[in-house]
Amino acid sequence: MSETASKAPGAPATSGDANRWKALVFIALAQLMVVLDATIVNIALPSAQVDLGISDGNRQWVVTAYALAFGGLLLFGGRIADLWGRKRAFVVGLIGFAGASALGGAATNEAMMFGARALQGAFGALLAPAALSLLAVMFTDAKERAKAFGIYGAIAGGGGAVGFILGGVLTEYMDWRWTFFVNIPFAIVAALGAYFVIREPEGGRNRNPLDIPGVLLSTLGLVALVYGFTRAESNGWGDSVTVGMFVASAVLLIAFVVTEAKVKAPLLPLRVVTDRNRGGIYLSLGIAIIAMFGTFLFLTYYLQVVKGFSPIKTGFAFMPMIVGMMVGSTQIGTRLMTRLPARLLMGPGFLVAAVGMLLMTQLEIGSSYASTILPAMLLLGLGMGTAFMPAMSLATLGVEPRDAGVASAMVNTSQQVGGAIGTALLNTIAASATTAYIKDHIGSATSKSQQQLVALEGQVHGYTNAIWFAVGMLVLAAVIVVTLVNAGRPDTSAVAGSAEGAEDEVPVPVVAH
């Protein structure tokens, strides 16, 4: 049996660590900060662009620099957490993130801004897997684990939408710089709390030397992949550099897999991803995020450009989705996770989200928020919240304690890469459909007002075309979950995760106690 399983009956994380629920508060706060940062800057970007004199061609780097560093360094960050200890990695990540945020808020030119965003991404890549793996090693009791991951899943899913609200409030009433400065108190409180409260269980570190070839190959491969998709969005899929990035990424990532199969102490032990349950979780989560992130973007533009909502009103328009996620994650997911196999929560969850997305394909210029967007957001949030919670828990369950950090990093990697792919892919689909619609209809528009109407209709037509693709992605995610994730019933007593039995045993969505 693994260390996880052997410790379960009387492990310190279950019965001896009286501070584990206090620790959850600070872990959740840090996770909220990282997820907020992924969207809060989007609403502030137009103001920051004007103040810092950033060109239209370069403005994407405010988002891309963060995504490249975060996505490229996640596996390395997870391995550092396993080597240093998750608590230390968590605190260092928080302090570094606060410093990078201060630099971004004080930026006087575009180079300083891009550098600050890259630093935020780098420290986020250390912080995020450390946070999730701390939960994995501290909460081993079935019901407690369900509650802890329910809270974490709700924050991981809904935090991005909260970022739109906070970004709108700070940008409209204060200054865009506060979308950076707001991270500092979050980070300080979480770091102090973590330092004094978190007691990481002993014996879970991976003290093997760093796999330097693996670090280089994975980082360069993921950076090339993320950059390929972000470049495709602005320069097109046929652009020579875009194609070159995808080819380079494929070569580097294949070389990474070959290297990991051969080296003695791999950065990503293949046992972490070859388990059908964890592999299914990583794949389905990445595909679902493709649908979700692209839709965030379209709805933001639809509400502000087509419906004329202010940044704050747009932010609050996302509230039904946040409510849905909280209910799905903390009520439905938490209550049913110890009674049902994960696939019976995740599969239906993704399908409910797909129904919500299907409602959004009916969007028109005159669509009512109350009758179309509100129910669509509720269903999307409810479905994703229900699916996220067991996904977060099962993705780290059954791994050996020494692999907890890198397994957690894989959850974040699938989300980050999925987000980059979703934004680029769905934007490209929408732009192509918009261009074709305007080309077909602009001839019949004789006045300027009619031409503006055709342009708006073209935008909405582009959004709905892309949202149809997102519906397909969510259905595909549900199929993958039902096909691959075969975790046993919660009352099964076996717990997988041993080096010898990882291939044969099936991890269950609880730990026996």
Side-chain angles (χ1 to χ4, degrees):
M1 293 295 283
S2 69
E3 288 182 61
T4 308
S6 63
K7 285 184 179 187
T14 304
S15 56
D17 185 2
N19 288 327
R20 61 192 178 282
W21 289 107
K22 292 178 186 174
L24 175 62
V25 172
F26 301 113
I27 292 168
L29 187 64
Q31 175 64 14
L32 178 62
M33 180 188 72
V34 172
V35 178
L36 278 176
D37 204 72
T39 52
I40 195 171
V41 174
N42 288 354
I43 285 184
L45 186 53
S47 304
Q49 184 184 352
V50 173
D51 275 8
L52 301 179
I54 302 172
S55 68
D56 284 348
N58 284 341
R59 70 181 172 190
Q60 65 156 333
W61 281 101
V62 176
V63 176
T64 304
Y66 181 85
L68 288 179
F70 194 84
L73 293 171
L74 268 166
L75 283 177
F76 183 43
R79 177 65 181 83
I80 289 291
D82 285 337
L83 180 65
W84 283 0
R86 288 109 203 172
K87 175 179 174 177
R88 185 182 298 174
F90 184 68
V91 172
V92 169
L94 281 166
I95 293 168
F97 200 93
S101 298
L103 191 66
T108 54
N109 54 53
E110 62 179 35
M112 195 170 166
M113 170 62 77
F114 300 156
R117 289 291 283 163
L119 273 176
Q120 278 186 312
F123 283 108
L126 180 62
L127 170 62
L132 184 54
S133 57
L134 276 170
L135 286 191
V137 298
M138 292 178 76
F139 289 90
T140 54
D141 174 78
K143 291 180 180 177
E144 288 193 354
R145 187 181 176 91
K147 287 178 185 175
F149 277 91
I151 293 165
Y152 187 90
I155 290 169
V162 177
F164 287 119
I165 298 174
L166 196 55
V169 170
L170 292 173
T171 303
E172 198 157 317
Y173 290 115
M174 297 179 77
D175 185 74
W176 66 265
R177 295 181 185 277
W178 281 97
T179 60
F180 287 89
F181 291 145
V182 75
N183 290 329
I184 298 171
F186 274 95
I188 291 171
V189 171
L192 287 172
Y195 183 79
F196 290 109
V197 169
I198 290 177
R199 298 289 179 268
E200 187 180 349
E202 294 295 326
R205 288 199 194 178
N206 184 343
R207 299 183 187 276
N208 289 317
L210 273 178
D211 167 23
I212 300 301
V215 170
L216 292 173
L217 288 169
S218 67
T219 301
L220 292 173
L222 288 170
V223 164
L225 181 65
V226 173
Y227 182 56
F229 275 104
T230 53
R231 188 176 172 88
E233 187 184 347
S234 55
N235 294 67
W237 296 94
D239 176 67
S240 58
V241 177
T242 302
V243 174
M245 282 294 155
F246 287 133
V247 171
S249 174
V251 171
L252 288 163
L253 292 176
I254 290 169
F256 172 66
V257 172
V258 172
T259 302
E260 298 309 274
K262 292 181 177 179
V263 297
K264 189 176 179 181
L267 172 70
L268 175 62
L270 295 183
R271 61 181 175 267
V272 172
V273 289
T274 51
D275 174 271
R276 65 182 292 167
N277 288 285
R278 283 192 291 274
I281 294 288
Y282 299 146
L283 187 58
S284 62
L285 206 54
I287 289 171
I289 291 291
I290 288 175
M292 195 170 168
F293 264 59
T295 308
F296 272 177
L297 199 66
F298 297 140
L299 275 177
T300 303
Y301 276 100
Y302 174 80
L303 293 170
Q304 288 195 39
V305 176
V306 178
K307 304 297 282 185
F309 283 23
S310 68
I312 292 179
K313 193 176 178 182
T314 301
F316 278 104
F318 279 89
M319 278 301 290
M321 185 162 66
I322 299 169
V323 171
M325 278 189 171
M326 296 296 287
V327 171
S329 192
T330 62
Q331 299 303 310
I332 299 173
T334 300
R335 292 174 188 274
L336 296 182
M337 186 181 153
T338 53
R339 301 176 189 178
L340 296 173
R343 68 180 181 276
L344 296 186
L345 282 174
M346 290 185 66
F350 287 140
L351 290 177
V352 167
V355 172
M357 204 72 87
L358 196 63
L359 286 177
M360 287 191 212
T361 62
Q362 307 307 305
L363 280 180
E364 297 174 350
I365 288 180
S367 292
S368 160
Y369 174 83
S371 63
T372 305
I373 300 172
L374 190 148
M377 282 193 173
L378 270 174
L379 287 171
L380 181 61
L382 200 64
M384 292 300 271
T386 302
F388 268 170
M389 205 283 283
M392 292 291 178
S393 181
L394 195 62
T396 54
L397 186 63
V399 296
E400 298 177 53
R402 61 188 176 135
D403 295 333
V406 79
S408 302
M410 277 302 299
V411 181
N412 287 284
T413 300
S414 64
Q415 289 178 299
Q416 191 64 27
V417 172
I421 292 171
T423 305
L425 193 59
L426 269 64
N427 257 356
T428 307
I429 293 167
S432 301
T434 296
T435 303
Y437 183 93
I438 292 172
K439 188 178 179 181
D440 290 345
H441 293 81
I442 199 70
S444 59
T446 52
S447 67
K448 190 174 181 180
S449 61
Q450 286 178 322
Q451 289 172 353
Q452 288 172 339
L453 182 64
V454 168
L456 283 177
E457 286 173 344
Q459 279 189 43
V460 177
H461 176 73
Y463 299 156
T464 54
N465 265 260
I467 291 170
W468 271 111
F469 186 85
V471 172
M473 289 284 97
L474 286 169
V475 172
L476 177 60
V479 170
I480 288 169
V481 165
V482 173
T483 306
L484 290 181
V485 178
N486 67 346
R489 292 188 61 80
D491 55 358
T492 307
S493 59
V495 178
S498 63
E500 301 79 29
E503 299 291 326
D504 304 313
E505 292 185 68
V506 179
V508 296
V510 301
V511 174
H513 61 292

